[in-house]
Amino acid sequence: MAETHKKILFKYYSTYLEEIVSETMWAEIIDLEKGYFKLDNIPFFGPLIATDDIFRAEYDENEKVFMHKETIENSGNSIVQVLVLEEGFDKEIIREKLKTINCVSEVLNDTFFAVEIVRNTDYSLVKSILDEYESLAVIEFAEPCLSDKHRTDLLKN
């Protein structure tokens, strides 16, 4: 069976953790010789990359893995990070609301999850849900990778 995916190492400065972090994510192989891949994971702390973005990676002899070098083509998808502030709050409530508007998420731990907003989702809908919970001091959220398409959604309203 042909290999279709590789684990890629991303190293970047996380403003959330205030340190350099390494995150390994799955990517679909587009052209192994050129080192072209398509991200197939939701980044937790992520560099400026979202699911389905095309990027270039090179094999690193020291790390013994492929490492992200540059993003080549943006998919139009966005990534939002959510930090739960209220102890005991069930984050599944927010995750389910987001899921109803086609936004899947990955949980890191009890207080942190990352949300994928696909290109054709109206970001103003997502932001209104997040703003509602942020105004109640239940969560705070960051938009580390907001696509041009999703920035435009906010300008329409």
Side-chain angles (χ1 to χ4, degrees), residues 30-142:
I30 303 294
D31 185 331
L32 199 54
E33 274 180 35
K34 290 183 181 166
Y36 288 4
F37 298 88
K38 179 160 88 170
L39 190 64
D40 200 15
N41 257 138
I42 299 175
F44 281 121
F45 303 114
L48 291 175
I49 194 162
T51 45
D52 295 338
D53 285 0
I54 308 287
F55 65 92
R56 190 175 66 78
E58 289 175 4
Y59 190 77
D60 185 291
E61 286 299 333
N62 297 332
E63 300 277 357
K64 301 287 184 229
V65 291
F66 278 88
M67 276 185 76
H68 171 264
K69 292 298 177 193
E70 64 181 329
T71 301
I72 296 166
E73 187 184 306
N74 293 83
S75 60
N77 295 346
S78 296
I79 303 293
V80 174
Q81 301 163 335
V82 180
L83 179 64
V84 179
L85 302 173
E86 189 177 297
E87 204 173 315
F89 177 78
D90 183 4
K91 66 187 169 309
E92 296 306 315
I93 295 167
I94 299 175
R95 292 184 68 217
E96 280 303 315
K97 276 190 180 184
L98 292 169
K99 201 172 173 185
T100 63
I101 54 170
N102 199 27
C103 297
V104 295
S105 54
E106 293 271 344
V107 172
L108 178 66
N109 55 36
D110 288 346
T111 59
F112 188 87
F113 62 97
V115 183
E116 171 197 61
I117 300 101
V118 291
R119 181 186 175 87
N120 60 3
T121 298
D122 183 345
Y123 185 64
S124 60
L125 298 173
V126 177
K127 192 154 169 45
S128 70
I129 291 170
L130 296 174
D131 284 344
E132 175 193 343
Y133 285 97
E134 191 170 62
S135 69
L136 299 169
V138 171
I139 64 161
E140 58 184 39
F141 69 96

